[in-house]
Amino acid sequence: MPDLTKPRGNRWIPYAGLLVLFWGVWGAFSGTPTSLYDYPNEMVYILWAVTMIIPAAFAMRGQKLDRRPVAALYGLIVGLTGAGGQLVLFKALTIGPAYLIFPLISISPAITVLMAVAILRERIRPLATVGVVAALASIVLFSISSGSGDAATGPWLVLALIVMIAWGVQAYYMKKAATVGVNDATTFVWMTISGLLLVPVAWFMMGEFPSHAPWQAPALTLGTQLLNAVGALFLVMALSRGKATIVAPVTNALAPVLTIILSLIVYQTLPSVYGFIGIVLAIGGSTLMVYADESGPTTEVTGDVGAAVHSDRS
């Protein structure tokens, strides 16, 4: 095992790359069960919560659960903001236009960045600042390019804002947990527990079990949501090794690029002008952030699965 007390350098990049891979593929096929078989979104949530058990069990192999109250506190915050935000999103989509909701939610990395700068005192180099702005802009453009529908009345705007804040806070507390020595496995186990705790809520929202759905619907849902669950583990691992101000915008910008590429290959659909500009901004902005992060000193807290080691912060 490498010496985790040494400066981490770019140790977060492989995990961020795996996250982009898993979430990019998931994004390309996640809507298939609903579009092909009219599978309820609430049932998709329930199966996603179940698939979280698999990477959680893998993460805990040979590791010890951090039993400190602070680990449980941060783990529950991370889990409930993530899973709760997902349930609120389902409700928002039933009363509001997706083409307005998703661009608003996509700004959640900005919440993470602001919290990391204000509370964790993470520093952003000037070159990385340009990259963050470009990445955030690309995320919004991706959402605009994929949205369609008519505006609707109702409290969807408030619900969308709740999801945006919740997911931004979630990413921040993933990083915060690592700074107090909580290992990745513990954080992810609490995420899994939180997701399962909200299954009854999703079941209540669904109202009726989709007994009419063919077997392909749950099978396809399990496959795609497993990609989502494993990607979430890689997000925890990337944030524990890198700056939240860099990891959150990079991963949220690059995953849609892979989704668009796969959609082009599988569905033979070309990106819109907004989508093309988003691809350029995502790649360019992410490159700037990675370059700026590697060219500067790295003194972050490390949170490996099973062991967290503190290092001085400049």
Side-chain angles (χ1 to χ4, degrees), residues 33-67:
T34 300
S35 61
L36 289 183
Y37 307 107
D38 197 26
Y39 209 48
N41 284 323
E42 293 82 2
M43 197 64 201
V44 173
Y45 171 88
I46 292 172
L47 293 181
W48 162 77
V50 173
T51 61
M52 288 282 286
I53 298 174
I54 298 175
F58 176 82
M60 285 302 300
R61 291 176 59 188
Q63 311 302 332
K64 291 184 178 180
L65 185 70
D66 191 335
R67 299 182 182 276

Side-chain angles (χ1 to χ4, degrees), residues 300-313:
E300 295 296 319
V301 176
T302 303
D304 261 344
V305 175
V309 181
H310 293 277
S311 60
D312 293 335
R313 183 184 302 276

Side-chain angles (χ1 to χ4, degrees), residues 153-206:
T153 58
W156 62 265
L157 178 60
V158 175
L159 296 179
L161 286 172
I162 291 174
V163 178
M164 179 195 71
I165 295 172
W167 286 356
V169 171
Q170 180 197 36
Y172 165 79
Y173 274 100
M174 284 183 184
K175 179 63 183 179
K176 179 64 176 177
T179 65
V180 297
V182 182
N183 61 65
D184 300 338
T186 297
T187 298
F188 196 79
V189 165
W190 280 111
M191 289 174 62
T192 303
I193 293 173
S194 301
L196 292 172
L197 286 175
L198 294 182
V199 164
V201 179
W203 190 279
F204 176 79
M205 292 173 60
M206 182 170 57

